[in-house]
Amino acid sequence: MGLQAQVVEDLFAESASKVAADAAFPESSGAQRRSARGGALEFTAFTRRRCGQCVRQSEYKYRPAALDALIPLRASPQTHLTQHQNKKVRQSQRKVVKMEMNVEARRILAVSISKLYASRSQRGGLRLHRSLLVSLVMKSARDIYHSTAALVEKAAESCASTEDTMEAMDTAENPENQPQRAEDKENQSPKRPRKRPGKVSAVPDFLPEKRARLEPGEERHEAGVNCSPSAPCRSALVLVPNESLLNRVIPAF
Amino acid sequence: MAGPGGDMQWCFSQVKGAIDDDVAEADIISTVEFNHTGELLATGDKGGRVVIFQQETENKNPPQFRSEYNVYSTFQSHEPEFDYLKSLEIEEKINKIRWLPQKNAAQFLLSTNDKTIKLWKISERDKRPEGYNLKEEDGRYKDPNSITKLQVPVLIPMDLMVEASPRRVFANAHTYHINSISVNSDNETYLSADDLRINLWHLEITDRSFNIVDIKPANMEELTEVITAAEFHPHQCNTFVYSSSKGTIRMCDMRASALCDKHTKLFEEPEDPSNRSFFSEIISSISDVKFSHNGRYMMTRDYLSVKIWDLNMESRPVETYQVHEYLRSKLCSLYENDCIFDKFECCWNGNDSVVMTGSYNNFFRMFERGHRRDVTLEASRENSKPLQVLKPRKVCAGGKRKKDEISVDSLDFNKKILHTAWHPQDNIIAVATTNNLYIFQDKVI
């Protein structure tokens, strides 16, 4: 299970246990639970940064039938595709659909968590029925998330190799397009995360952005490795999404 | 029922409440209930007040127009409280009102908020005594030395005064939020239901109640369903039903055992796998259950549909009516704006031939069982001229919108009709919008 999935699992377990605890002891003060809110905010910020690389969330609505109408991956400039390429494109489209479901599941998870935390401060105390329904939605979203997370990771890993294969095949078939291919940056792995401005944020706007707490020593150490001696140290504050850094980003709840 | 070949049309009668667009939260109507004769109509609101309307008995109006409902009594039933031990605020919102059958000149009703049930006596006073020997007219005691004669006090007529006094307070019996109360047909007991327990009370005894249903698991993390509504059978004093958030209804017989955790019958319809989504559990949660007047059927309301169950058949409902199926594709948005948690109520007409329930955009729906006809009507200020016939409304789910149709995206989800009531003997309905009460009647031809 990926690290991100582990975060979801932990957060869900924590929220579910808090719902159960509040339900068993409705006398618990809402103030006692507020310390966990920081964890939720950090999770949201983390999700947002990760989702910066995903398809625009604002234009996505969870509607299984409509997934078929999604715009497929950008087609190759060539009009004629081989059977193998068609198969690869269809596979990529299915993977995009899975990624969309993954994104939607995370979005619903974030909305559900915000509802759970908001319900603790509402007048009349925690509503057991409503909290139960929200936790059931979270469970469904978590299940979808887990089932698609593995596919998403696999898709991300095979994406580069698939494109390399396609490039090689295209080069073999159309040697005259090689100069254009070299300059085609669309299908190249991005050196830095692209930011896509969305119309509506996938996560609730009322949750403020909060950077994940980092170990200062480790952060500076990482930045020092990547920075050239002549570059300004401001780059030390930019988070680079690599596996080793992710291990340190996740705060303890 | 307005429809092709139908001979009944609904027309506007009255509207109660403020006209202001700025609605105070305390004025939001939270329950509506006719009494057993239909003469009295009670409403409860979020501010803890109960307003009772009475139908005028003198029919001074033309035959086409029935008597109006005018304010009979207003009183503060519940006040906001604070549980210091649990650090919880207890809302004063009236969740349910139930009338008791009338035994004497006074009327009795039960009203409940989240934690406390109260029995109120509503009585009339139209005479006052006059001619006391020891007291003046203003109540001050006379100087005994000034009393020289003896007279018998007499009762003289006065302006009608309606008094509401709390006769019983049933408190401290529910840990979770009370969602239902139901008076038994024996007129001596009643039940109250919260999320996990149902208690049986005697109307005369306030310091104890019997717990008859308890679905609280030993480990709360294993909680999978809660009780959403409960009601006694209209004729069998030993039978009651309760609905759950999983979409099931359990019927229990109190003669079987003291603790009715084991149901006598379980009414459940298998879920359609093609409709499975993130929000299947939410929309299958039952928000209301009502027995028919004849006691043979019961009706349940979930988020998208109304189902009629034959008490002799547990496997599936005998009738299902889609209230607003066009919302099925909007569940994600409805989840985000919390509308998916709305609890709609439903009601039967007097002879159990028609059922009614509310929807959004101040629409309400009626389903005629025998002829399988349905109609959508709207409660709005624009249609509130006296005796104005209500025009059926139609919602366009998709495709080309016809004239007079309203598209799904144009619906106002802030305007919702959650509470409706039908006169037990006549075709008069009370429909509660956010803070207004609309009364409609059928047009007598």
Side-chain angles (χ1 to χ4, degrees):
Chain A
M1 189 186 295
L3 196 59
Q4 195 172 0
Q6 184 62 43
V7 170
V8 171
E9 188 74 41
D10 292 343
L11 192 61
F12 177 81
E14 190 233 350
S15 295
S17 65
K18 284 190 190 312
V19 167
D22 284 348
F25 303 102
E27 62 273 17
S28 299
S29 168
Q32 297 171 6
R33 304 284 177 216
R34 290 188 197 283
S35 59
R37 190 179 176 88
L41 293 176
E42 289 172 6
F43 169 76
T44 304
F46 170 69
T47 305
R48 186 179 289 168
R49 281 196 298 278
R50 288 291 293 163
C51 289
Q53 300 181 32
C54 299
V55 179
R56 284 170 289 187
Q57 305 138 35
S58 60
E59 297 173 358
Y60 179 82
K61 297 282 181 194
Y62 176 71
R63 198 175 292 131
L67 292 178
D68 297 334
L70 283 175
I71 300 173
L73 288 177
R74 286 170 292 276
S76 168
Q78 294 84 2
T79 55
H80 174 68
L81 297 174
T82 63
Q83 190 175 6
H84 178 73
Q85 287 173 328
N86 280 331
K87 183 181 173 186
K88 287 292 182 186
V89 167
R90 281 196 297 275
Q91 283 177 349
S92 299
Q93 289 174 356
R94 278 196 287 272
K95 284 169 186 171
V96 166
V97 166
K98 295 285 185 187
M99 286 174 63
E100 295 282 356
M101 290 177 67
N102 183 276
V103 167
E104 181 63 13
R106 280 188 294 180
R107 187 175 78 83
I108 289 178
L109 211 47
V111 169
S112 303
I113 289 168
S114 67
K115 284 187 190 300
L116 273 180
Y117 280 111
S119 66
R120 291 174 187 173
S121 57
Q122 69 180 166
R123 210 167 156 244
L126 193 70
R127 296 276 163 184
L128 183 62
H129 183 199
R130 182 189 161 109
S131 302
L132 177 68
L133 295 177
V134 171
S135 65
L136 290 173
V137 171
M138 283 175 62
K139 184 172 176 296
S140 301
R142 184 192 64 162
D143 294 341
I144 296 286
Y145 175 81
H146 284 163
S147 64
T148 57
L151 290 164
V152 167
E153 287 179 8
K154 199 177 168 184
E157 288 169 6
S158 64
C159 189
S161 61
T162 304
E163 288 165 355
D164 290 339
T165 309
M166 284 181 68
E167 277 190 26
M169 293 179 67
D170 291 344
T171 306
E173 291 178 1
N174 300 297
E176 63 273 14
N177 289 331
Q178 282 184 12
Q180 295 178 13
R181 263 287 182 192
E183 294 175 2
D184 184 6
K185 294 180 183 176
E186 285 289 339
N187 292 324
Q188 290 179 1
S189 299
K191 288 188 176 57
R192 57 188 174 87
R194 278 181 243 158
K195 291 183 183 176
R196 296 178 186 238
K199 290 176 191 173
V200 175
S201 172
V203 293
D205 291 334
F206 59 83
L207 289 178
E209 268 209 45
K210 190 176 177 182
R211 286 194 196 176
R213 281 172 281 146
L214 299 174
E215 297 285 330
E218 287 169 350
E219 185 182 7
R220 285 195 211 101
H221 175 71
E222 287 291 325
V225 168
N226 294 328
C227 280
S228 61
S230 58
C233 292
R234 278 175 299 194
S235 58
L237 297 177
V238 174
L239 292 173
V240 178
N242 56 70
E243 283 296 323
S244 58
L245 187 59
L246 287 176
N247 285 329
R248 297 176 187 87
V249 166
I250 311 303
F253 287 107
Chain B
M1 177 83 66
D7 56 358
M8 191 163 78
Q9 290 180 312
W10 290 93
C11 52
F12 172 81
S13 174
Q14 294 171 276
V15 60
K16 307 289 185 186
I19 309 174
D20 299 335
D21 289 333
D22 190 18
V23 178
E25 189 169 344
D27 294 335
I28 295 174
I29 297 172
S30 54
T31 185
V32 180
E33 186 80 1
F34 278 102
N35 75 335
H36 294 272
T37 61
E39 182 196 358
L40 298 175
L41 175 62
T43 62
D45 60 25
K46 271 196 167 185
R49 294 164 298 196
V50 172
V51 180
I52 301 175
F53 302 91
Q54 184 188 39
Q55 191 178 27
E56 294 298 329
T57 51
E58 296 178 20
N59 196 351
K60 302 172 188 173
N61 298 308
Q64 292 86 355
F65 199 75
R66 291 185 187 76
S67 304
E68 288 190 342
Y69 282 84
N70 297 317
V71 177
Y72 179 64
S73 174
T74 303
F75 57 92
Q76 186 75 32
S77 172
H78 288 73
E79 296 277 0
E81 294 174 43
F82 194 83
D83 188 333
Y84 295 98
L85 188 64
K86 301 176 182 177
S87 296
L88 280 178
E89 188 176 5
I90 301 170
E91 279 189 282
E92 67 276 27
K93 176 170 82 86
I94 307 296
N95 291 335
K96 282 289 186 310
I97 288 175
R98 288 290 181 263
W99 289 93
L100 269 60
Q102 191 173 12
K103 287 183 186 174
N104 49 40
Q107 300 279 355
F108 290 86
L109 63 82
L110 286 169
S111 65
T112 182
N113 67 349
D114 285 339
K115 297 288 183 184
T116 305
I117 307 140
K118 293 185 182 180
L119 176 68
W120 289 88
K121 177 182 177 184
I122 296 100
S123 54
E124 294 180 359
R125 188 195 293 265
D126 59 356
K127 294 183 179 59
R128 65 181 178 89
E130 198 177 72
Y132 281 108
N133 291 291
L134 298 177
K135 281 195 289 189
E136 303 285 357
E137 293 300 324
D138 57 4
R140 286 181 300 127
Y141 280 96
K142 289 180 183 175
D143 181 11
N145 298 324
S146 65
I147 298 170
T148 57
K149 59 176 178 148
L150 194 64
Q151 60 181 357
V152 177
V154 293
L155 293 172
I156 60 169
M158 60 177 265
D159 291 337
L160 179 66
M161 189 168 70
V162 180
E163 295 175 320
S165 56
R167 305 301 291 183
R168 303 279 187 275
V169 178
F170 306 92
N172 303 320
H174 285 279
T175 306
Y176 302 96
H177 297 98
I178 296 173
N179 52 56
S180 307
I181 50 174
S182 178
V183 183
N184 204 345
S185 53
D186 61 9
N187 293 335
E188 288 186 357
T189 56
Y190 74 95
L191 64 79
S192 59
D194 65 24
D195 293 322
L196 295 177
R197 298 189 177 102
I198 299 178
N199 293 334
L200 182 69
W201 300 84
H202 193 281
L203 286 166
E204 299 292 333
I205 300 170
T206 60
D207 60 351
R208 74 196 74 171
S209 66
F210 288 104
N211 175 245
I212 52 176
V213 173
D214 188 346
I215 64 169
K216 183 179 177 182
N219 183 1
M220 281 297 285
E221 293 191 5
E222 295 168 7
L223 180 72
T224 56
E225 63 179 334
V226 297
I227 297 170
T228 53
E231 193 177 56
F232 265 120
H233 192 277
H235 309 309
Q236 299 168 12
C237 58
N238 54 283
T239 305
F240 67 94
V241 295
Y242 67 93
S243 60
S244 81
S245 56
K246 271 190 172 178
T248 61
I249 308 102
R250 288 173 173 82
M251 175 183 283
C252 299
D253 189 335
M254 293 193 291
R255 299 171 300 183
S257 65
L259 191 60
C260 299
D261 279 357
K262 276 190 181 176
H263 53 263
T264 307
K265 292 188 181 182
L266 174 65
F267 298 85
E268 186 177 16
E269 183 180 26
E271 186 191 357
D272 183 2
S274 62
N275 285 334
R276 184 88 191 137
S277 73
F278 276 133
F279 311 105
S280 295
E281 286 93 357
I282 300 185
I283 63 173
S284 66
S285 174
I286 293 174
S287 54
D288 195 17
V289 62
K290 290 270 172 47
F291 276 106
S292 61
H293 291 94
N294 59 17
R296 182 163 169 204
Y297 300 96
M298 68 175 173
M299 167 168 55
T300 58
R301 175 73 156 98
D302 52 56
Y303 189 66
L304 295 179
S305 65
V306 163
K307 296 178 182 177
I308 311 284
W309 301 78
D310 187 324
L311 297 187
N312 298 317
M313 187 167 79
E314 303 164 54
S315 57
R316 57 179 174 83
V318 290
E319 298 157 34
T320 301
Y321 302 102
Q322 300 300 331
V323 180
H324 36 219
E325 183 66 15
Y326 45 80
L327 295 183
R328 192 179 288 275
S329 59
K330 307 284 181 189
L331 293 180
C332 192
S333 305
L334 293 168
Y335 178 72
E336 290 180 24
N337 64 17
D338 285 347
C339 283
I340 205 171
F341 300 106
D342 288 335
K343 295 181 183 178
F344 292 94
E345 293 179 4
C346 51
C347 60
W348 297 84
N349 74 334
N351 59 8
D352 301 330
S353 61
V354 185
V355 297
M356 175 170 66
T357 188
S359 180
Y360 293 104
N361 209 70
N362 281 349
F363 288 169
F364 58 99
R365 301 262 282 146
M366 287 184 187
F367 302 96
E368 194 175 350
R369 298 176 60 205
H371 299 93
R372 289 283 180 166
R373 282 195 298 232
D374 63 272
V375 68
T376 303
L377 302 172
E378 183 182 2
S380 69
R381 290 277 176 176
E382 288 76 29
N383 302 327
S384 46
K385 296 190 187 67
L387 293 179
Q388 179 177 357
V389 175
L390 293 182
K391 194 174 143 192
R393 302 302 305 266
K394 215 158 173 57
V395 177
C396 173
K400 197 174 177 183
R401 187 176 68 90
K402 295 177 188 172
K403 190 186 171 188
D404 293 339
E405 281 188 355
I406 181 168
S407 72
V408 180
D409 297 322
S410 304
L411 294 175
D412 188 345
F413 290 95
N414 291 320
K415 294 181 181 177
K416 56 193 85 170
I417 291 177
L418 303 176
H419 312 287
T420 57
W422 204 307
H423 192 288
Q425 289 151 12
D426 214 343
N427 283 324
I428 301 173
I429 56 174
V431 170
T433 58
T434 307
N435 66 328
N436 289 138
L437 183 73
Y438 286 80
I439 300 173
F440 301 103
Q441 61 181 34
D442 68 330
K443 185 176 177 183
V444 178
I445 298 173

